[in-house]
Amino acid sequence: MNIDPSKLTRTENYQMLIGSVLPRPIAFVTSQNEEGIVNAAPFSFYNVITANPPLISISVGRKPDGSSKDTARNIIKGKEFVVHVVDESNVELVNETSADFPPEVSEVTEVGFTLEKSEKVSVPSIKEAKIKLECKLSQALTLGGTGDEPSCDFIIGEVVNYRVEDDLYLEGKIDAEKLAPVSRLGGSDYEKLGETFSIPRPAPPTKD
């Protein structure tokens, strides 16, 4: 079966993508507006770009009217944000923050999360998260849609501080089983960390 994306609606393309690109890690992002209100929202169009320097990317879809969401607007203006890893212990509350709260309402206090001071950025962090990536804005691009009406704000952030619970960290590595991360599938489905296996990289070919 071949399906032509140009003949699908935006919603149909969205369904094809979230059903094909999976599992997807979830960036639970805090940002802060000019009045000091902390916004918190999850995004699964998220990944690593490079380790030198450590850069991550988050695609924040525009609202139906074409305007930027609170997260993108806050980051572009304030230049800082924090990405929290979603795990089995916090995913229920994270999901609640995805409701359409107005800008003057903080999702953090509405759903029962706790704010704490970050180490290297002014935006507060979520205490209940086991891993926090404190970021400064590197670039913000408008992509998709048309030139006058883009469909997303593409945020590139540089990680300036890792905050990791002590029992997760050993010899420079994160214990994934103790972290118990949660990822997104299609629709309303999530996935826990399942069976893991290792495949060593192949050795370089030998010369005759």
Side-chain angles (χ1 to χ4, degrees):
M1 177 185 294
N2 292 303
I3 302 173
D4 186 347
S6 67
K7 295 181 180 178
L8 301 181
T9 65
R10 175 176 177 171
T11 299
E12 289 169 337
N13 273 309
Y14 176 79
Q15 293 298 333
M16 290 297 295
L17 288 169
I18 66 170
S20 302
V21 183
L22 45 79
R24 299 184 308 283
I26 307 168
F28 183 44
V29 183
T30 52
S31 61
Q32 194 168 31
N33 68 14
E34 298 94 326
E35 287 73 40
I37 297 173
V38 177
N39 171 269
F43 300 92
S44 68
F45 286 19
Y46 156 65
N47 220 313
V48 173
I49 297 177
T50 180
N52 183 30
L55 297 179
I56 60 174
S57 65
I58 306 166
S59 178
V60 183
R62 291 285 181 102
K63 296 180 180 181
D65 65 2
S67 62
S68 295
K69 291 183 178 178
D70 297 337
T71 296
R73 186 170 59 251
N74 291 345
I75 292 173
I76 291 169
K77 288 185 177 180
K79 312 299 183 187
E80 295 180 340
F81 61 101
V82 182
V83 172
H84 308 77
V85 174
V86 179
D87 62 57
E88 292 180 29
S89 69
N90 61 30
V91 64
E92 295 284 349
L93 289 183
V94 169
N95 182 61
E96 290 187 29
T97 67
S98 63
D100 192 16
F101 291 97
E104 66 274 10
V105 174
S106 174
E107 295 85 353
V108 178
T109 54
E110 286 295 306
V111 306
F113 275 126
T114 309
L115 288 177
E116 65 179 8
K117 188 177 184 299
S118 297
E119 186 71 22
K120 291 189 178 180
V121 298
S122 60
V123 176
S125 301
I126 301 292
K127 183 178 181 179
E128 289 79 5
K130 298 174 184 176
I131 296 180
K132 310 165 182 72
L133 310 179
E134 299 179 11
C135 300
K136 291 185 179 292
L137 179 65
S138 176
Q139 292 186 60
L141 309 172
T142 53
L143 301 174
T146 63
D148 295 331
E149 296 182 354
S151 60
C152 78
D153 293 291
F154 188 68
I155 304 297
I156 300 175
E158 179 176 350
V159 181
V160 295
N161 191 54
Y162 303 99
R163 297 185 68 190
V164 183
E165 285 194 355
D166 292 345
D167 64 343
L168 297 181
Y169 185 80
L170 180 63
E171 297 178 352
K173 296 182 180 181
I174 302 296
D175 188 322
E177 290 190 2
K178 287 184 179 179
L179 175 59
V182 172
S183 59
R184 285 288 274 124
L185 301 176
S188 300
D189 294 335
Y190 292 78
E191 183 178 56
K192 298 179 181 180
L193 186 67
E195 179 183 356
T196 62
F197 59 94
S198 299
I199 302 178
R201 286 176 178 255
T206 58
K207 295 182 179 180
D208 294 334

